[in-house]
Each structure stands twice: as structure tokens, then as C-alpha cells.
Amino acid sequence: MKIQFLGAAGEVTGSRHSVEVLLAGKPRRFMVDYGMFQGGREATNKNLEPLPFSPKALEFVVLTHAHIDHSGLLPRLCAQGFSGPIYCTKATFELLKILLLDSAHLQRADVERAERKQKAGKWRGELPVALYSREEVEKTLTQLEPLDYGESTGLIPGVQLEFRNAGHILGSAIAVLDIQEDGAALKRCIFSGDIGMRGKVLMPDPDVIQNADVVVVESTYGDRMHRSLKDTEDELVGVIDSTMTAGGNIVMPAFAVGRTQEILFLLIDLVRRGRLPHLSIWVDSPMATAATHLTQHFFAQLDGQSQATFEWFKKNPGAVDLRFIADVEESKALNKIKGGAIIISASGMCDAGRIVHHLASNLPRAQNAIVITGFQAYGSLGRRLVDKVQKVRLFGEEVAVKASIHTIGGLSAHADQAGLLDWLRGFEQEPKTVFVVHGEPESSSVFAEAIREELQWSNVIIPERLHTYSC
Ligand SMILES: [Zn+2]
């Protein structure tokens, strides 16, 4: 078996792993995830680069979850001639309908906005590129094959797939692949996808898998520990109290799928427990609104505490003034609110979408607070805010950063180092090979070293992008 890492090697976005196996005398190739690179011009170039093999030669794609950095280039793959099935869980199937269409829409809007600015002589630098159209997304959706968790499915003779719960976002899965190659023993190959934090809001704990020959594991936070949920709550309550007292707004950039729902459930739960007073919350992202409805639809897949919070809010709807913004005019009207509002909007790394407008209107005022709750990739606008830049360029114009910037790490949808090691401890025997992916270089190397030291596993590899490994 050969695995080639086309992305998420030495970085956190662009998860795309090609697996080549020898079955009945023929090499057969499939992909696990087909994600978009995110964060600046370099990412765009990688998204545009041709595959090292023909898309038509791929048998199928296994998708761990709906986040764009794992799914976002699928329409491009299908447009380039891939016509096989894309396997995912049922909730992922529903989320992709929202996420991929939104991705096509955002790309088109970015191009059109840049072209208008260029015509008016107000755009500097290169124009953005749309990677695919709405029509190409619609064709891709017809290729999705939804499966249940725990349902073992033969994909082609010699390859069996079972999805287990990764506890990261709605529908997120660990892909368990049993592969019977010519003349070889049965091999179990596990792709972790993104592993959730134990005891986090909304999702259940990740499933433990007992055995594997090959493990491909994420390492987003492989070099650090998250704050406890208690500390995170204290910090969040502190920022909200002080900003509301100062008469400012709170702007929270949040991934529309997953993070927005976690924040909502946490804020409502803090009100339920009397830690926060009545709140006015605006969720300004059509995609987040749709994902919140889906979260209610898949209520049975949520953890116990979130189910209880949701039931409480249904009985006490006046406790939080929660509004979902649909149209653009309403969204722009939020710019007139000078204080007392919590605005949750996407994209999570601040690079596109309505959040950019909210930052443009709220960054210049010192009484406002920007609360960052998610990972900010190198090169993204969110990362520059975390790095305390004094000014940023939005829509081709300079904006001063006067608002306070707060990073609240404990809400992460990703396990920290201890969480990842705990998940690996579930394997009863040392896997023959462990690949550490989906982390910035420092994070992956610290985590690989932790696996060698704490678990005493010997064959731990940090793959290089585009390199092929036999295992
Ligand atoms: Zn993810």
C-alpha cells in the first residue's frame, strides 16, 4: 500500500491523501478527503496545481467530515473528470449541501467585488480566482453516498470502510479502512480526520479504536494543551461583562459549521446557569443558520448536556434574544449598532464572508472586542489580528485596529496534545506506522516526539507534501 500526502503535510489545511493498493493484479487508487488549502496567495496556487495522476483513474473518495479544508476541492475534482462515489456520513452529506454551495458563492462574490474595485482603480495586487461554479457543486452532490456510523461497507473487492464518530463536528468521522491486497495480510488503516476534544460542548467524545496497522493522525494542537472548559468560561464571561459595561460590541468570527453552534450552546448554557445576564446575539451567516437547524435535526447525535440546554431554551425562549440574520440589508444594518451586541459571523478565519464587514465597522473603536475562538492559519486575516497588527487592509482600504483582540483557546473543536495521546492509547498494540499530519511544522514535530516518548512507539513519520510512502 502506498500513501501520498497531497496536503495537510506541514500545515493544517488542504487535507488530501491518495492511497494506492494492489488488488487482483491491478493498482487501484482512492482518496481520503479532498480539502481546500486556505490562507493567502500561496494556498490559492496549491489549490490550482494539477494532480500528479488522472482524476478519472480514482475509484472513490472517502470523506471524514464536511469542513472545507477536508472537502472544499471536491467540485474541482469532479469537474476534472472524477465520476466515482464520495462516501461520507449522513450528517456530512447534509452539511456539504450547505458548505460547498456557500464556498462557490463566496468565491464568485470575491472575484466580482475585486473586479469592481479594479475598474474603479481601488484594487491593488492580483485578482482572486474562483475554483469552481455552483453548477459544478450541484454535479458533485449527486456523487455523494451517505453511510451510517458503524456500518461496514465494501467499496471495491478488497476494501472495506466503516465510519466511527470523531466527536469534532456534526457528522465527523474516523475512517476505518480494512484493505486486503494481493499476497499480503489484511491491513487496517485508520484516518483520524479531525479528532474532537473530550468533554467539549455539543459533540460526544471521539470513538476509541482498538487496533490498526497504519494510523494517519491529525496534530493541529499536537504541541499544546487547551485551557479547561472552566477557565474558558471564566475568560469568556470576563470579556463579555467588561465589553458590555464599556458600551461596546463583541464580534466573534466563527466557522459557520460547528463553532457557531458550540458558541451558541455555551452562551445559552452560561445564561441558564446564571453566569451571564440576558444577551442579545445576532448570528449573521446564512450558512450558520442552516447548520444550526441541521444540528437540531440531528439532536440525537449531540452530547447529553447540550441536549439538556437545548430543551431548557425551548421552555425559556426569552432568556436570550437570539436572532438569525438572513438578507444582506439586515446584515449591513448591524453596522449601526454601537453597543450591547454579540455578533457571530463567518468565515472563521476572517478571510471572506460577512465577518469582514463587521470587522471593518467594529475594529476602529476601542470599546469593542473581537473574540477569536478558532484556529487561525498562517496568512489569514484572523491570524494577523491574533498577532496584534496595528492596521489591516479590508476591501482594498486601510482599517486601524483599535478594538481589543481576545483569543479564547479552550473552545477548540480539536483535541489538544493530551487528548490526541489519549485517543492513540486506545490502540491495544503499537501500529506498524503512524503518520502525523494536519499540523504546522512545530506542532507536528512536538506531537511526533510525544508519541515516541510517551507511548514508546518507534515508527512515527511526519510526511512531506507530495511524497509517497510505502506501508
Ligand atoms: Zn475539521
Side-chain angles (χ1 to χ4, degrees), residues 7 19 33-34 56 68 72 89 126 140 151 169 174 216 241 276 280 286 310 313 341 368 371 383 392 438-439:
V19 181
D33 288 342
Y34 208 81
K56 290 179 185 155
I68 286 295
T89 65
E126 288 183 72
T140 304
E151 177 186 347
I169 60 162
I174 298 159
V216 179
D241 276 345
L276 283 173
S280 294
F310 184 63
F313 188 44
N368 295 333
V371 176
R383 177 64 163 264
V392 289
H438 201 289

Side-chain angles (χ1 to χ4, degrees), residues 106 132 148 170 182 189 234 239 350 370 377 413 423 428 431 449:
L106 284 180
Y132 44 81
D148 277 319
L170 198 66
D182 292 357
C189 193
D234 290 349
V239 175
C350 313
I370 314 299
W423 182 71
E428 287 167 358
E449 201 45 44

